[in-house]
Amino acid sequence: MTAKVPGRLPVALDAMGGDHGPVPNVDGAVQAARAGVGVLLVGDRVKLHAELGKYPGSGSLPLEVVEAGDVIGMEEHASDVRRRTGASINVATRLVKDGRACAAVSMGHSGATMASALLTLGRVRGVERPAILTHLPAQGGFTTLLDVGANADVKASYYAQWAQLATVYLRVVEGREAPTVGLLSIGEEDHKGSALVLEAHGLLRALHGQGIHFHGNVEGRDIFRNTTDIVVTDGFTGNVVLKLAEGEAKVLFGWVREALTSTVKAKLGALLVRGALRGLAERMDPSTYGASLLIGVRGLTFIGHGSADARAVKNALLRAERAHEAELIPRLEAAMAQVSP
């Protein structure tokens, strides 16, 4: 299956990664291919061709299978990427390095994906540690949060670098001309926070007007108010915030469902608000954004949930191509070169 989109590089998908293996990955890839995105399905050739056979007309789509005889399971160690060169995530990131793919996408082992991207692609000059960048639904749209899991232990300089990277990302991919940056803390006042946060605050304040627009400290509630376009924090805190937000959304919708089915009158009311609730549920669904960007490596890499469905895979592939079309990596490199010694 070698139908290609003329003049455009495909996206390499770790098609064996995730809790459910190739089933949602192939489904999402077919959906993305039908939308015009070329996809290299990386994994077990026999299994992937068998799965593709379930989709009539897939042979005419811009899909190609690339053999990878190994896969790093969700329960295995991220360090395995060093010795298991034939693992699907390693094959996917090498396709990016070799110029055969514009981005790598994986719903598999997040630690292995980060390790593979770092080992294979390296870091953007001026970036000490890459971060995982994600979007959280907020008033008026979304708030961009990073880091959400790549770095539990951080230095103040990381915050400044992540603010610069996220600013470029929002400007060139999402069309936000002058995104604002907030530093997550326990109070809005400049003197609030740990010693690390206070040091980071000073670095971010010094960068205001020189590549970033620093708002100041923000609190947890500000993330969902969209007080700032970007919120920077350490990966431990960011991951807690992300999982808390996703878990609370599920609980809240469960409560709403219980309330709307508790009585006959409530069920009648549910019929009236069903459309509005469906739109709200879609807005809060992590599948809407597909995957999170590992920002700061010298190649586009996207990391999704292990439990991702086909919709999440499709949206991740679309988002990856959009970042490539926006020339995100060269623009990040240019921006960091201006501030690197």
Side-chain angles (χ1 to χ4, degrees):
M1 300 185 182
T2 56
K4 297 181 180 179
V5 179
R8 288 160 65 180
L9 282 174
V11 179
L13 172 64
D14 174 10
M16 308 304 291
D19 297 338
H20 309 297
V23 176
N25 284 311
V26 172
D27 190 352
V30 169
Q31 292 182 41
R34 286 174 176 159
V37 177
V39 183
L40 299 177
L41 291 157
V42 181
D44 186 300
R45 186 180 298 276
V46 174
K47 291 180 180 178
L48 293 176
H49 277 299
E51 197 61 36
L52 279 169
K54 299 176 183 178
Y55 299 90
S58 60
S60 63
L61 294 173
L63 295 166
E64 182 180 347
V65 173
V66 177
E67 175 67 26
D70 186 16
V71 58
I72 296 176
M74 302 296 275
E75 74 287 348
E76 297 183 278
H77 293 290
S79 58
D80 286 355
V81 298
R82 290 183 177 273
R83 59 182 179 83
R84 292 164 64 180
T85 57
S88 52
I89 184 56
N90 279 331
V91 175
T93 54
R94 281 202 301 272
L95 288 167
V96 176
K97 183 177 181 179
D98 295 343
R100 292 182 56 196
C102 67
V105 173
S106 179
M107 304 297 165
H109 196 306
S110 59
T113 303
M114 287 186 287
S116 180
L118 269 171
L119 287 168
T120 306
L121 303 171
R123 291 171 287 130
V124 170
R125 186 171 181 269
V127 176
E128 294 174 83
R129 291 287 299 175
I132 300 177
L133 176 153
T134 197
H135 297 320
L136 288 177
Q139 289 179 1
F142 62 83
T143 298
T144 297
L145 177 68
L146 73 166
D147 180 22
V148 294
N151 306 276
D153 300 304
V154 304
K155 297 192 294 186
S157 56
Y158 297 1
Y159 291 91
Q161 293 160 20
W162 296 342
Q164 292 164 324
L165 293 169
T167 295
V168 175
Y169 168 80
L170 281 182
R171 192 171 68 244
V172 304
V173 178
E174 303 294 344
R176 297 195 180 182
E177 201 51 47
T180 53
V181 176
L183 173 63
L184 190 62
S185 188
I186 56 173
E188 297 177 355
E189 298 85 358
D190 291 359
H191 63 274
K192 291 286 184 73
S194 65
L196 176 65
V197 168
L198 292 175
E199 184 182 356
H201 188 281
L203 293 177
L204 289 165
R205 181 66 69 191
L207 283 172
H208 178 69
Q210 301 179 47
I212 71 167
H213 295 270
F214 184 50
H215 169 87
N217 287 353
V218 294
E219 299 179 87
R221 61 191 174 193
D222 290 305
I223 295 172
F224 304 102
R225 289 176 174 174
N226 204 336
T227 300
T228 59
D229 298 294
I230 299 162
V231 173
V232 291
T233 187
D234 64 273
F236 183 93
T237 304
N239 192 264
V240 171
V241 169
L242 176 64
K243 299 294 176 56
L244 175 63
E246 292 175 349
E248 183 68 6
K250 289 182 179 179
V251 170
L252 285 172
F253 269 102
W255 289 344
V256 171
R257 192 178 299 109
E258 288 176 11
L260 291 176
T261 57
S262 58
T263 65
V264 173
K265 186 180 290 185
K267 290 178 181 178
L268 291 172
L271 293 174
L272 297 175
V273 299
R274 183 169 55 185
L277 287 176
R278 188 179 294 117
L280 179 60
E282 174 158 337
R283 185 175 172 188
M284 298 182 71
D285 185 354
S287 296
T288 301
Y289 300 109
S292 300
L293 172 65
L294 181 63
I295 196 165
V297 292
R298 296 188 67 220
L300 292 171
T301 306
F302 289 82
I303 303 171
H305 281 282
S307 59
D309 57 14
R311 180 170 178 264
V313 175
K314 179 198 74 172
N315 286 335
L317 294 167
L318 294 175
R319 189 175 170 199
E321 187 184 69
R322 190 153 55 96
H324 172 66
E325 291 293 314
E327 300 181 331
L328 178 60
I329 296 300
R331 293 191 181 195
L332 290 174
E333 291 180 318
M336 296 308 295
Q338 292 180 0
V339 295
S340 297

